[in-house]
Amino acid sequence: MTTDFTPPPSFSIPTERLHISYLQPGNPTHSTFLHHLWNTDEFIKSEGPTGLDTPEKAAKFIATRVQGDYNRNKHGQMLVSLKPHLGASLAESKMIGIVSLMKGEPPNAYTQPDVGYTILPEENGKGYATEAAIGVIDYARRELGVKGVFGFCSSGNARSRRVLEKIGLEFRGERKLTVFGGVQSAIYALPEMDQDLAVYGITD
């Protein structure tokens, strides 16, 4: 039986400029921020509408989908907060995005998670997505036993491809990924991962 994973609200993965922390069910600040982030024009243009068009829907999403990922894997979608100065605490920091390590439920899942990131439009271009992705991957490998990480994006998404390369993933070609409805995607993986992606459940 899966039990709830409930880290303390003060928990964070610190990086030089950021704190990475868990979204908290029942925290209206978190659900309001997620609603805002996923309804910016830039996000909708890139990812399409999520259906989380009210803070209440975002709150329900955090309590069910996000918490479910935490319960299974101890990772999933996590908050990215910007420190106002070196050494600032999580409480002092400003929420600016989401970084994720996502691994779905079998059979609709690969055996290793994929990394993702969304930063507020006004904070883009400052290296925060790269820093957050490196931070969450390092933590997951060190503390959660994650052995491999994928990165998926559309072939024409130059910004995402640059970030994936900066965090140390290597391009492994393009495939129509069944988990994403057969959409043609560029695939990135950690260099030490097997060259045969079928080992992880990725096939055409």
Side-chain angles (χ1 to χ4, degrees), residues 20-174:
I20 302 164
S21 59
Y22 289 97
L23 286 158
Q24 298 167 15
N27 185 324
T29 303
H30 290 187
S31 54
T32 298
F33 173 74
L34 184 64
H35 166 252
H36 170 65
L37 179 69
W38 281 3
N39 285 279
T40 62
D41 291 341
E42 290 81 355
F43 183 89
I44 292 173
K45 182 178 179 181
S46 173
E47 304 295 333
T50 64
L52 303 185
D53 52 6
T54 67
E56 292 75 21
K57 289 180 181 178
K60 183 176 181 181
F61 179 82
I62 292 171
T64 54
R65 171 68 185 278
V66 173
Q67 183 63 48
D69 289 332
Y70 293 166
N71 293 345
R72 285 193 307 276
N73 305 312
K74 298 185 179 179
H75 57 73
Q77 300 187 64
M78 303 182 74
L79 275 172
V80 178
S81 299
L82 177 63
K83 299 175 184 176
H85 56 80
L86 185 66
S89 69
L90 174 62
E92 297 173 286
S93 302
K94 170 191 173 185
M95 292 177 287
I96 62 165
I98 295 287
V99 65
S100 62
L101 274 181
M102 300 300 297
K103 184 180 176 184
E105 293 185 77
N108 297 313
Y110 303 126
T111 61
Q112 299 299 325
D114 67 274
V115 64
Y117 30 79
T118 305
I119 302 295
L120 286 171
E122 60 267 30
E123 300 293 352
N124 272 329
K126 302 175 184 179
Y128 297 142
T130 300
E131 186 173 333
I134 290 172
V136 77
I137 290 170
D138 286 350
Y139 176 81
R141 297 180 77 185
R142 184 178 69 250
E143 302 292 340
L144 303 180
V146 171
K147 302 299 183 184
V149 174
F150 286 111
F152 306 125
C153 66
S154 64
S155 303
N157 191 335
R159 178 182 291 175
S160 285
R161 296 186 75 153
R162 282 196 301 271
V163 173
L164 293 172
E165 291 164 1
K166 286 179 181 178
I167 64 179
L169 276 63
E170 63 179 18
F171 180 55
R172 295 290 185 87
E174 296 183 13

